[in-house]
Amino acid sequence: MTSVPIPGLDVTLERDLPCRMADGVSLLADVYRPASGGPHPVLLISQPYDKRAAESNFGYAHPAWYARHGYVVVAQDCRGRYGSEGTFVPFAHEAEDLATTIAWARTLPGADGRVATYGFSYPGLNQLLVAQHRPEGLVAIAPAFTGGSPYREWFYPGGAFSLAFAATWANFLALDVAARRQDDAALTALAGGLGAAAGLLWALPLTAYPPLAGGDATYYADWLAHPTLDEYWQQFEVDHGGIDLPGLHVGGWYDVFVRGTVRSFTELHRAGLAPQKLVLGPWHHMPWAPLAGAGDEDGGRIVDDWHLRFYDHVLGGKQTGVFDAPVTAFVLRDGWRDLDAWPPSASRPVDWYLHSGGRAMSVSGDGVLSEEPPGREPADVFTYDPGIPSLSAGGHSCCVEGISPMGPADQGSVERTKLVLVYSSAPLGRDLELIGDVHAVLFAASDAPDTDFTAKLCVVDAGGRSTNLLEGIVRARSQQPVPLEPGRVAEYRIDLGPIGVRIAAGERLRIQVSSSDFPQFDRNLNTGGPLGAEPASAARSALQVVLHDSDRPSRIVLPVVED
């Protein structure tokens, strides 16, 4: 192969360089080089979405931009994807294949022997998977919009299946499988499946998801067949204790993996083996465009700026100040600021309690949220019918807006129904700043053998519009023995994830409580039966009780930053 110049950039490009794996499989990469000078450090991205896009269509600047700033950029198709040989099995080969690729990349013409990685989502996780093995030549990582636990942070947060993400991602991955065998009929059907996802996600059993009936993504069935953190998932868990490299961690407040991004940074920063930086911005998974009402006008350009500062510091020997503050976050509705840690030292957990006279159903009910602990109060009761679930409005799913529930959204259609309990605060007397991690504690009971409980944190503006900030779910069987004892009150903790937001004086906080957030999460059929395998006819309704009294104070715990 011959390098060819890219006009106007002082960068050359060499296409489809093969890197041979230990088992004989060749993975192809495009290599972008500065046209002069050198040798240069290598930036490596290996991903399953076509190296010629290299994630620049939805996130980063093009690899040529990084090459223009003095780096050799290697953009590789991972095993079994696009130009590369082999069979793609999510997560299975990435650590070994990347270690081999790093050894190869550091010997390329123009390379100085040092390799740093980058990439968001799947190629964010593969960086963590390889970094824990400390391959020679790898000197820095930049995992973005990702999580180091596929079970807890990708597919089963709170024990419920991330249906919209898992089904549509598997559908998308299957497109390349059909294309590689030149099956145009399958390609048409799979593309149609993405376009029709809003209706197809209602199909039961989940194992028979219609777009995947052709067998082009058999791993989807594996995900459903392993609803607990068993040996299947354990093999893909990242051991953060084995990572001693400088890291740049980037996430978005509405990203599906924001919990994982923050956890990876927190664990590595706490270990102190190498400097770490966390950047949190007002984005969902992709594209990194300004979100409505966030107050951000730069979109994702700042992500490339942080990457260049990071690489210039750890590879170029420049004092860029990238690690001056451990965390830089865009506080929603306020702006960018530096923080001394995650959570920041100025943040403290504050309990906000649920109250009602027993009729909190819908926004028209009598649910109240306040810092005052409850006394003697009647419980709230609602019926959860899997056939009529509470529907997602915005959220933290993935990966394409319009297909999966993503971002901030008007909650009016959700809160008007009696499928949710709604608890609202009085208008705030002063601004309230929340920066840190949020969780809810519900004391609840059900007459079903198994069920779910959900919690959603919203902000209500002065005009009465309610917008989602965070949401979470717990599958009862993940915290309680199954089957549940009918009527037995249990304490459920629901992780809602990290937040950074300023609520203005005159606005209100609101909590939604329900038993479904569909299709972001699959519907619990309330049977206690095998997850994902039951047909629609198996579903049963459940009587749900949420208690909030002095002995059982249901509440949400908010990270309040004091002025």
Side-chain angles (χ1 to χ4, degrees):
M1 291 289 180
T2 303
S3 295
V4 296
I6 299 178
L9 291 181
D10 199 28
V11 170
T12 65
L13 168 61
E14 194 170 5
R15 293 280 195 196
D16 293 331
L17 270 69
C19 175
R20 196 171 182 84
M21 302 294 108
D23 61 356
V25 167
S26 287
L27 309 187
L28 300 189
D30 293 343
V31 179
Y32 300 80
R33 295 184 177 88
S36 59
H40 305 280
V42 173
L43 305 184
L44 168 64
I45 178 171
S46 179
Q47 43 96 355
Y49 306 121
D50 188 355
K51 64 181 180 297
R52 301 200 176 191
E55 298 203 306
S56 61
N57 285 351
F58 301 103
Y60 305 100
H62 194 276
W65 183 85
Y66 285 96
R68 186 165 62 86
H69 284 85
Y71 297 95
V72 175
V73 183
V74 176
Q76 182 189 69
D77 289 329
C78 71
R79 178 182 293 257
R81 301 296 294 175
Y82 292 88
S84 292
E85 298 174 350
T87 300
F88 177 69
V89 180
F91 321 119
H93 303 287
E94 305 307 337
E96 184 177 358
D97 285 354
L98 264 179
T100 301
T101 300
I102 289 165
W104 168 79
R106 63 195 301 249
T107 66
L108 288 171
D112 71 0
R114 296 175 298 159
V115 177
T117 55
Y118 77 104
F120 81 97
S121 196
Y122 189 88
L125 173 59
N126 68 22
Q127 295 175 67
L128 295 169
L129 289 169
V130 70
Q132 63 189 343
H133 299 295
R134 299 182 174 93
E136 184 178 359
L138 180 61
V139 298
I141 59 174
F145 294 78
T146 196
S149 172
Y151 176 78
R152 289 174 291 170
E153 296 159 355
W154 291 52
F155 296 104
Y156 285 96
F161 188 56
S162 296
L163 177 62
F165 158 59
T168 58
W169 186 49
N171 189 159
F172 178 79
L173 290 171
L175 287 168
D176 179 54
V177 179
R180 288 162 74 92
R181 65 170 186 273
Q182 300 183 326
D183 189 337
D184 289 323
L187 272 172
T188 299
L190 288 164
L194 286 175
L200 295 173
L201 289 169
W202 288 81
L204 291 173
L206 297 182
T207 51
Y209 186 62
L212 304 180
D216 286 327
T218 56
Y219 32 81
Y220 178 74
D222 293 334
W223 302 337
L224 286 168
H226 296 275
T228 62
L229 186 54
D230 58 13
E231 291 183 359
Y232 173 82
W233 295 110
Q234 288 284 357
Q235 63 183 320
F236 308 133
E237 289 282 302
V238 171
D239 175 13
H240 292 86
I243 298 175
D244 59 357
L245 300 170
L248 170 64
H249 308 262
V250 180
W253 290 126
Y254 285 94
D255 180 44
V256 63
F257 305 127
V258 65
R259 293 178 181 87
T261 299
V262 171
R263 185 176 71 90
S264 290
F265 162 79
T266 302
E267 292 197 14
L268 294 176
H269 185 251
R270 186 183 299 121
L273 300 179
Q276 307 294 319
K277 175 71 179 188
L278 174 64
V279 177
L280 292 168
W283 312 299
H284 51 40
H285 196 70
M286 64 183 197
W288 304 336
L291 297 178
D296 168 46
E297 297 179 354
D298 295 325
R301 293 198 310 273
I302 196 171
V303 175
D304 294 303
D305 296 339
W306 277 108
H307 275 73
L308 196 59
R309 287 180 66 183
F310 174 68
Y311 294 131
D312 285 352
H313 187 99
V314 299
L315 296 171
K318 301 177 182 179
Q319 296 303 311
T320 67
V322 66
F323 297 116
D324 285 355
V327 181
T328 300
F330 187 99
V331 177
L332 294 170
R333 309 157 99 229
D334 191 54
W336 289 101
R337 83 178 60 164
D338 291 332
L339 305 174
D340 61 358
W342 189 267
S345 59
S347 175
R348 66 182 181 90
V350 177
D351 292 332
W352 285 67
Y353 297 94
L354 311 188
H355 301 270
S356 83
R359 293 188 296 171
M361 294 166 66
S362 86
V363 71
S364 301
D366 63 357
V368 172
L369 182 70
S370 78
E371 293 183 75
E372 181 182 352
R376 295 185 62 187
E377 298 181 6
D380 286 306
V381 181
F382 67 99
T383 299
Y384 163 52
D385 180 353
I388 313 174
S390 179
L391 300 178
S392 304
H396 290 69
S397 190
C398 173
C399 295
V400 178
E401 192 174 13
I403 295 178
S404 299
M406 292 166 54
D410 187 344
Q411 299 296 300
S413 62
V414 176
E415 295 172 352
R416 282 192 295 269
T417 76
K418 290 193 173 182
L419 303 175
V420 299
L421 306 177
V422 178
Y423 304 89
S424 304
S425 74
L428 299 179
R430 61 184 179 88
D431 288 3
L432 178 67
E433 190 168 270
L434 307 177
I435 307 178
D437 300 303
V438 178
H439 70 273
V441 178
L442 294 183
F443 290 88
S446 175
D447 68 351
D450 184 39
T451 196
D452 292 347
F453 289 101
T454 66
K456 186 184 296 184
L457 173 64
C458 306
V459 57
V460 184
D461 66 21
R465 177 189 170 99
S466 176
T467 301
N468 56 301
L469 295 171
L470 290 174
E471 71 284 331
I473 191 168
V474 62
R475 184 143 290 172
R477 70 175 68 187
S478 71
Q479 294 189 12
Q480 301 295 329
V482 174
L484 301 179
E485 181 182 339
R488 177 182 175 272
V489 177
E491 180 179 344
Y492 296 98
R493 179 186 170 110
I494 304 177
D495 177 21
L496 276 69
I499 195 172
V501 66
R502 177 174 285 272
I503 312 298
E507 297 184 317
R508 292 178 288 159
L509 293 173
R510 177 170 290 166
I511 302 299
Q512 298 174 19
V513 175
S514 184
S515 286
S516 59
D517 186 349
F518 173 82
Q520 180 164 341
F521 304 104
D522 72 312
R523 292 167 287 167
N524 194 322
L525 301 188
N526 295 327
T527 66
L531 298 180
E534 295 182 292
S537 59
R540 55 162 289 182
S541 61
L543 180 70
Q544 314 289 66
V545 181
V546 174
L547 300 94
H548 41 80
D549 53 42
S550 56
D551 294 327
R552 294 158 296 195
S554 292
R555 61 197 181 275
I556 188 164
V557 184
L558 299 177
V560 176
V561 175
E562 299 292 348
D563 294 333

